[in-house]
Amino acid sequence: MAETFPTLVQCAIVAGALKVLLFPAYKSTDFEVHRNWLAITHSLPIWEWYLEKTSEWTLDYPPFFAYFEWILSQVGKLADPAMLRVYNLEYDSWQTVYFQRITVIVSELILVYALQMFIDSSYGASKRAAQAAAISVLLSPGLLIIDHIHFQYNGAMYGILVASLVLARKRSTLLASGLVFAALLCMKHIYLYLAPAYFVFLLRAYCLSPKSIFRVQFLNCLKLGSGIAAIFATAFGPFALKGQIPQILGRLFPFSRGLCHAYWAPNVWAMYSFVDRVLIILAPRIGLSIKGEALKSVTRGLVGDTSFAVLPDITPRMCFALTLLSQAIPLVKLFIHPTWDTFIGAVTLCGYASFLFGWHVHEKAILLVIIPFSLIALKDRRYLSAFRPLAVAGHVSLFPLLFTPAEFPIKTVYTIFWLVLFLMVFDRLAPASAWPRFFLFDRFCTLYIAVSIPLILYCSLIHGVVFGKSYEFLPLMFTSSYSAIGVVGSWVGFLVVYFTS
């Protein structure tokens, strides 16, 4: 089959050139977070990494990411040694900025390699669809906004995730898939949300006999178990010797934070928070009581702030139970039918569950849903119908991360261009489904996408012109609530497709 153009590598080169032009763009506090982590891992003994608290941005990623920062620091000292001083807070010389921006671009080559693996693992008519999906992930507005402007290293870590998912496509590389995912967990603990799907799939497809679930393949269990144990021992072993595991766990899982982030991530709790706000206004008229102490703090996401004024409060235990329940439902089908497509669907639904019902969810976690879903979005037109509102809602929900005027045209024009281009391409490539589509859901998608343009204009431009700095939370609330409707609608649509395919 002739190679389809443009190739992934060609797109990566062009994208890299664009990202270089963004070096002087806005950078969030995450830039200082990672500069501080460079300094901590370079200047201090390993035993002090998770104890150091000179900066408020303490190290709170698992050890493999700390080792990654240490490796970067060995090169960073050649660019500007001053960036590696622990007490040099808020340091951002141009050498430091350029170095950190370059490391994001270079580390994203892991994603390029993994996406090429995905393309190469596809055959026949699906290869062209795989290439379109791979390019859409590489050029994702989410990665551009979060990594290359706001500043993080998600591209590299999602590259490891995609590589693990692709390795799960063949029985001969199932072990490698599990071990790669274990290494990813030791880089960023957010991927724990996807672990239930991996556990069920590897149990069913690798540890149990394909002929009978009552026959255990003990050698495979031994290889998988010992491999995962070795990876976790490498990551956490040095700290375990010093009795620092409780300290690390306290950094990784700060449950003292509120239910919602300062800006509501577009999930079920955003909708819950919106309803609570409306009920505050309606309560005197319909005879509902209001908790006065919650009025000033409701849903702000500050430390210890989880109070609602009218609706019942939500606890971490409730979030955990709802997340676990909504993950367990698709895992039943995965256990019964452990195919690769079912596995990717279960991974996607685990991502949905954690995003929709999790505690203190960040809006950036929407990529945990979008990226695995992209790998099967072109399976047929019903999958694509569920993917469309997610693509729109997920990327629009990231706009508040970039609130400076200079970045408005970049985020808006790039995202709209990406949505128009790839949704049109996907529409041409997605094959017809053998199952009937839902007319009302398709109409919902069309209407939902149409509403996004006036919403973006109001929240980014019109509100500031009309109200100035008054009612600053209003555009955030509108963006979050609109996006939450899209994500929840997409989740419901995908659940229907997943269980009727």
Side-chain angles (χ1 to χ4, degrees):
M1 182 177 177
E3 189 172 29
T4 305
F5 291 96
T7 66
L8 188 70
V9 173
Q10 289 169 339
C11 291
I13 293 171
V14 173
L18 170 64
K19 291 161 186 174
V20 169
L21 296 177
L22 295 175
F23 278 10
Y26 162 82
K27 58 185 185 297
S28 72
T29 53
D30 280 341
F31 181 87
E32 169 60 17
V33 168
H34 288 280
R35 186 217 59 80
N36 184 55
W37 293 359
L38 286 172
I40 289 173
T41 55
H42 182 82
S43 303
L44 300 177
I46 186 173
W47 323 115
E48 297 181 25
W49 289 359
Y50 288 94
L51 299 175
E52 165 59 37
K53 54 182 180 180
T54 300
S55 168
E56 62 180 309
W57 313 118
T58 54
L59 181 59
D60 59 6
Y61 275 24
F64 274 0
F65 195 88
Y67 301 157
F68 169 71
E69 292 277 10
W70 179 84
I71 292 171
L72 293 182
S73 74
Q74 304 310 303
V75 183
K77 64 184 179 183
L78 303 177
D80 186 355
M83 79 170 82
L84 303 176
R85 296 171 188 160
V86 174
Y87 293 94
N88 213 356
L89 304 181
E90 304 295 336
Y91 185 78
D92 63 348
S93 67
W94 72 265
Q95 295 96 329
T96 302
V97 173
Y98 277 47
F99 171 75
Q100 289 193 237
R101 295 286 197 194
I102 289 171
T103 59
V104 176
I105 295 175
V106 173
S107 65
E108 203 173 56
L109 292 176
I110 299 173
L111 178 62
V112 177
Y113 179 78
L115 291 172
Q116 189 61 54
M117 286 174 58
F118 172 59
I119 295 171
D120 294 339
S121 69
S122 304
Y123 301 96
S126 65
K127 193 176 186 73
R128 186 170 183 176
Q131 180 150 337
I135 293 175
S136 77
V137 172
L138 177 66
L139 302 181
S140 165
L143 289 175
L144 185 78
I145 291 171
I146 297 173
D147 281 9
H148 301 281
I149 302 178
H150 193 265
F151 197 85
Q152 279 191 0
Y153 291 92
N154 290 287
M157 288 182 283
Y158 278 109
I160 298 172
L161 174 63
V162 171
S164 174
L165 294 174
V166 174
L167 288 169
R169 207 166 191 175
K170 293 182 179 179
R171 184 167 181 81
S172 60
T173 52
L174 278 176
L175 175 61
S177 172
L179 298 183
V180 169
F181 183 71
L184 179 61
L185 291 178
C186 294
M187 282 199 77
K188 192 170 184 179
H189 49 299
I190 192 174
Y191 296 101
L192 272 171
Y193 289 132
L194 309 182
Y198 272 88
F199 175 80
V200 172
F201 182 67
L202 291 173
L203 172 67
R204 184 67 177 84
Y206 186 72
C207 295
L208 300 180
S209 171
K211 297 179 180 179
S212 173
I213 62 172
F214 300 106
R215 291 175 57 188
V216 179
Q217 302 189 95
F218 291 103
L219 181 59
N220 286 356
C221 292
L222 179 62
K223 288 189 288 187
L224 181 61
S226 59
I228 292 174
I231 289 169
F232 275 83
T234 302
F236 292 93
F239 304 96
L241 293 175
K242 292 288 186 176
Q244 293 184 359
I245 298 302
Q247 171 70 14
I248 294 177
L249 293 179
R251 290 276 184 93
L252 299 184
F253 303 102
F255 287 111
S256 60
R257 295 176 181 175
L259 171 66
C260 298
H261 196 236
Y263 156 60
W264 303 340
N267 59 10
V268 167
W269 307 128
M271 302 171 75
Y272 191 85
S273 301
F274 178 78
V275 171
D276 189 71
R277 290 273 175 154
V278 173
L279 289 177
I280 291 173
I281 300 172
L282 297 179
R285 302 177 186 177
I286 59 179
L288 294 176
S289 60
I290 299 177
K291 291 177 282 187
E293 69 277 7
L295 286 177
K296 293 184 179 180
S297 62
V298 64
T299 72
R300 287 293 184 175
L302 302 176
V303 173
D305 177 16
T306 59
S307 297
F308 291 92
V310 180
L311 295 176
D313 289 340
I314 304 297
T315 65
R317 187 170 295 180
M318 292 178 184
C319 291
F320 179 76
L322 285 171
T323 301
L324 199 61
L325 176 63
S326 54
Q327 287 185 339
I329 296 171
L331 295 181
V332 173
K333 179 177 179 178
L334 177 60
F335 187 82
I336 298 171
H337 300 290
T339 65
W340 187 77
D341 285 347
T342 307
F343 170 56
I344 301 301
V347 168
T348 302
L349 286 169
C350 283
Y352 267 117
S354 61
F355 186 82
L356 290 174
F357 300 105
W359 179 269
H360 198 78
V361 175
H362 286 247
E363 61 278 4
K364 292 169 280 191
I366 193 61
L367 294 183
L368 208 62
V369 185
I370 293 176
I371 290 180
F373 197 168
S374 298
L375 304 185
I376 55 171
L378 292 174
K379 183 179 179 181
D380 63 43
R381 300 191 70 82
R382 292 206 311 162
Y383 281 82
L384 179 58
S385 292
F387 180 76
R388 283 197 194 101
L390 173 69
V392 175
H395 291 117
V396 169
S397 72
L398 298 174
F399 278 16
L401 289 174
L402 307 180
F403 49 83
T404 53
E407 279 67 47
F408 172 74
I410 298 173
K411 68 182 182 184
T412 305
V413 173
Y414 186 88
T415 300
I416 292 175
F417 177 77
W418 184 93
L419 287 170
V420 171
L421 175 63
F422 283 102
L423 291 182
M424 287 178 61
V425 171
F426 282 15
D427 193 61
R428 292 183 179 183
L429 292 176
S433 173
W435 297 81
R437 292 167 64 188
F438 298 97
F439 176 81
L440 290 178
F441 187 73
D442 288 342
R443 300 289 78 78
F444 160 77
C445 292
T446 302
L447 177 62
Y448 184 80
I449 294 171
V451 172
S452 65
I453 302 299
L455 177 86
I456 292 170
L457 289 174
Y458 173 79
C459 293
S460 299
L461 292 176
I462 298 174
H463 180 85
V465 173
V466 176
F467 295 105
K469 293 186 177 181
S470 301
Y471 308 107
E472 286 184 313
F473 193 71
L474 203 58
L476 296 176
M477 185 173 67
F478 285 159
T479 300
S480 180
S481 300
Y482 165 84
S483 300
I485 292 171
V487 176
V488 171
S490 172
W491 173 61
V492 172
F494 186 59
L495 273 173
V496 173
V497 173
Y498 181 78
F499 282 105
T500 58
S501 297

